[in-house]
Amino acid sequence: MYDVIIIGAGPAGLTAGIYTGRARLKTLILEAGIIGGNAALTDLIENYPGFPFGINGPDLMDSFVKQAERFGVELVQEEVTAIENTPEGKKVVTTEGEYRGSALIVTVGVKRRELEVEGEKEFLGRGVSYCATCDGAFFRGVPVAVVGGGDTAVKEALYLAGIASRVYLIHRREEFRANPALLERLYATDNIELKLNRVVKNIKGSGLMNKLVLYDKVSGEDEDLEVEGFFVSIGMVAAGDIIGDLVETRDGYIVTDDHMQTSVEGIFAAGDICAKQFRQVATAVGDGAVAGMAVTEYLKES
Ligand SMILES: Cc1cc2nc3c(=O)[nH]c(=O)nc-3n(C[C@H](O)[C@H](O)[C@H](O)COP(=O)(O)OP(=O)(O)OC[C@H]3O[C@@H](n4cnc5c(N)ncnc54)[C@H](O)[C@@H]3O)c2cc1C
């Protein structure tokens, strides 16, 4: 029996673990994928305080892990498939077994939104990807495309520009909503070509993808774009499938109070999975710290 089980080892989960571990609570963190979460998927984080020249995401998250482990936190790589609130504590079922904890902190974050066009599922892993840092290296010296108009899409295009021969950035509008500092770098990068006012109609290929069909909203014409890789970066959706209707949610995001407590006593949530406006490493760390301290208080009182 653990004092606290944390689901997800991103910035929020690891920070919560640092606080509960340091409070001498027996803490387990369960992680299904990459330790460090989405923050470990980005090559440069420029807006996390303490690093005036930015820091590489995996390096930053590695230091979070070391700090959590120094306080005795156990980190286990297993995917959580279900959560139950039982009289004997919170039951957490994983692909490998089950665990019980007196309290739970859910920090499962967000995952990429799918474009939902023909060929997307068929060519997933065969040209189509949702993560440039994970898969970009497969496309050295060949043309690729990114679709999206926000910070993440622009960052993905800039990252890929250092690997691929040419990067087409496809956006359905005339203007990007990305941060101006990122846009300055985008416009200054020679091998990125913008495809504005266009939507992706479908993805074609044989075995591997080799072409996108774009619809030009201004001319009303279709256009073929020959690329070997296609990165979908059109936003995120909550990754809280395991929550079901156990706690109150809004559009899939968990509703918490200002102690990061959910609608169920002893179940807390932190980071990007929470119903809130801004999702960043700094905000996830703040939520994780609050959840860690709130759980410590909760266990003292119960
Ligand atoms: C490409 C990209 C670039 C970004 N750049 C920046 C930036 O420059 N600056 C910035 O501040 N923010 C940036 N962000 C946002 C930042 O990464 C997130 O806000 C932050 O990682 C949120 O932390 P989190 O711990 O809430 O969630 P996440 O980092 O998403 O971590 C959640 C973890 O939970 C795990 N998980 C999910 N489901 C389960 C399950 N069923 N069982 C076990 N584990 C599970 C996931 O595998 C994941 O590791 C970027 C995000 C992306 C995708």
Side-chain angles (χ1 to χ4, degrees), residues 8 10-12 31-32 34 37-39 47 80 107-108 155 236 271-272 280-281:
E31 169 55 55
I34 294 173
N38 276 333
N47 51 3
V80 174
T107 61
V108 291
K155 282 180 95 173
M236 301 287 190
D272 284 6
Q280 287 281 282
V281 176

Side-chain angles (χ1 to χ4, degrees), residues 15 18 72 103-104 159 163 201 206 212 276 300:
T15 304
I18 290 167
L104 203 62
Y159 176 77
I163 300 171
K201 271 178 82 174
S206 136
L212 295 175
K276 59 178 183 176
K300 252 192 236 162

